[in-house]
Amino acid sequence: MAGPGELGEGERERWRALRAASEAPRNPFMEPEFTEAVGRVRPGARVAVVYEGPEPAGFLPYERGPLGQGRAIGLGVSDAQGAILRPGLGLETGELLKACSLSSFAFDNLEAEQRLFVRYAAEEYATYVIDVEKGYETYESVLRAQSPKFLKTTLAKERRLGRQAGELRFVFDERDPAALRTLMEWKSAQYRRTGRRDRFAQEWITRLVGQLARARAPECSGTLSVLYAGERPVAAHFGLRSASVLACWFPAYDPEFAKFSPGLVLHLRMAEAAAAEGVGTLDLGRGAAEYKDALKTGELPVYEGAVIRPGVGAALHWLSREPARRAHSFVRGRPRLASLAARTLKGAARLRRT
């Protein structure tokens, strides 16, 4: 067991090599740089290193809480989770948790290839993806076939935005810290406007994003994309990029320009720029949204659940998480109830503002 910052360069290189050999997409959330960044803002962050003889054969990044309650590294903000293991490695889940002194291990975006943990999943969700492997023109032709009205309308709004607000300029990898601060302000306002928990009100998340904005590792690089009208930012997105995957994380836009759908325009330009950079997949993350349905070319499964070992810690995990998960699942499975819940959240947010 080690703190993320205690891994040697040889161990980090082995981690990257194991990840490269995996069948799963090279999601940057699964790289050592993300775990190291979490370790600098979360004191309970740990990495279990599994050895075969003198060589590491696997890594499990996790966070350890009171009474040994464990959770995937960065749970709540990380969009890909699990262990990094040599293909075919024989490992028993309970023994791994025992070695880590964990009574449970919770996850909410477990990768589909995580055979060690998938059987403990309580829920399966779709994460929505955009395939630009064959280039942006091919992707646009797919959109013309599956969502012709959406594409035509979005491109028309893009032209109107340029005419009325100023010439449009897109920067795929913006380095201006002021642009990141603007994005975080927009996102906080959006969370409050829709009655959701403001992630940027949590200091550790703000610090984590700030650190990752400076990350420039080949397989985990912070990427801030900004759409400008004249010199004014109108939409922005911060995510993590590997050589093959852009993990979409925090998108937001200036509500003053909402009628032009600048967020949708931004995503189209991100797809175009990513394809030009050789990135083949944009991962829009889990959670249904109208814009994701319009932009996606496919879906991948991710899982939520927990491995629980018998004991006091396991009972505490069940009491703290399972009732809420079941309630959420009940609401999500009933579209009319889910719509009512969303309207109630927005109404509550308006009441808090007044």
Side-chain angles (χ1 to χ4, degrees):
M1 310 308 149
E6 298 171 348
L7 296 179
E9 185 53 38
E11 290 169 315
R12 291 194 293 270
E13 283 301 318
R14 178 61 175 160
W15 180 323
R16 296 182 189 106
L18 291 173
R19 191 62 192 161
S22 168
E23 298 176 1
R26 193 77 184 262
N27 194 298
F29 284 104
M30 295 293 289
E31 297 297 319
E33 290 78 15
F34 177 75
T35 292
E36 289 168 7
V38 174
R40 289 190 285 270
V41 299
R42 302 283 286 177
R46 298 286 184 273
V47 179
V49 186
V50 181
Y51 279 87
E52 280 185 321
E55 187 173 61
F59 301 85
L60 176 66
Y62 64 94
E63 296 179 46
R64 189 177 188 276
L67 298 177
Q69 293 170 284
R71 45 189 263 166
I73 196 81
L75 187 141
V77 294
S78 58
D79 284 351
Q81 300 159 358
I84 297 87
L85 305 174
R86 176 183 64 75
L89 179 67
L91 203 58
E92 205 279 318
T93 311
E95 287 300 311
L96 177 59
L97 265 60
K98 182 179 179 182
C100 297
S101 299
L102 295 179
S103 59
S104 60
F105 177 72
F107 47 85
D108 62 1
N109 275 287
L110 185 75
E111 287 185 326
E113 300 300 325
Q114 295 286 329
R115 298 180 181 89
L116 194 63
F117 300 115
V118 165
R119 64 181 180 274
Y120 299 100
E123 301 280 354
E124 177 181 326
Y125 299 96
T127 184
Y128 302 91
V129 296
I130 297 173
D131 182 359
V132 291
E133 186 74 38
K134 296 179 180 178
Y136 179 76
E137 292 76 13
T138 300
Y139 169 58
E140 197 172 86
S141 68
V142 171
L143 286 184
R144 291 187 190 281
Q146 71 181 23
S147 308
K149 184 178 179 181
F150 159 77
L151 182 62
K152 182 179 179 180
T153 300
T154 303
L155 294 177
K157 288 181 177 180
E158 180 179 27
R159 292 189 293 271
R160 288 208 310 274
L161 176 61
R163 288 195 300 269
Q164 296 185 30
E167 184 179 357
L168 296 186
R169 176 171 61 92
F170 173 76
V171 180
F172 183 51
D173 192 6
E174 175 64 88
R175 304 296 179 89
D176 184 357
L180 181 60
R181 290 194 296 271
T182 296
L183 167 61
M184 295 167 78
E185 290 168 3
W186 286 342
K187 199 67 182 176
S188 287
Q190 179 190 343
Y191 286 136
R192 295 192 299 269
R193 192 167 61 246
T194 55
R196 288 167 170 77
R197 176 174 54 89
D198 180 3
R199 289 181 172 180
F200 291 119
Q202 300 181 67
E203 182 186 4
W204 75 269
I205 295 179
T206 300
R207 290 172 57 203
L208 177 65
V209 168
Q211 290 192 30
L212 289 168
R214 298 187 292 272
R216 290 294 178 267
E219 298 298 338
C220 184
S221 179
T223 304
L224 173 64
S225 301
V226 184
L227 180 68
Y228 292 92
E231 294 303 313
R232 182 175 178 177
V234 294
H237 165 268
F238 179 74
L240 299 178
R241 175 173 35 139
S242 71
S244 56
V245 175
L246 173 60
C248 300
W249 206 10
F250 292 111
Y253 60 86
D254 187 339
E256 183 179 332
F257 298 94
K259 66 180 181 180
F260 300 107
S261 301
L264 292 176
V265 175
L266 174 76
H267 276 81
L268 290 179
R269 297 305 138 235
M270 283 166 51
E272 183 178 29
E277 292 278 330
V279 173
T281 302
L282 281 73
D283 187 336
L284 300 174
R286 117 178 196 191
E290 189 174 344
Y291 82 93
K292 293 182 183 181
D293 281 332
L295 291 165
K296 72 178 183 180
T297 58
E299 301 175 3
L300 295 173
V302 293
Y303 300 92
E304 180 177 334
V307 185
I308 302 175
R309 293 176 59 222
V312 175
L316 288 175
H317 169 86
W318 194 93
L319 288 171
S320 66
R321 293 189 63 85
E322 287 303 320
R325 180 183 292 126
R326 292 184 183 192
H328 293 161
S329 178
F330 180 84
V331 172
R332 282 192 300 266
R334 291 157 177 80
R336 291 181 63 186
L337 189 58
S339 177
L340 175 61
R343 291 198 301 272
T344 302
L345 281 172
K346 291 180 180 179
R350 285 194 294 271
L351 285 173
R352 283 199 296 272
R353 290 198 299 274
T354 58

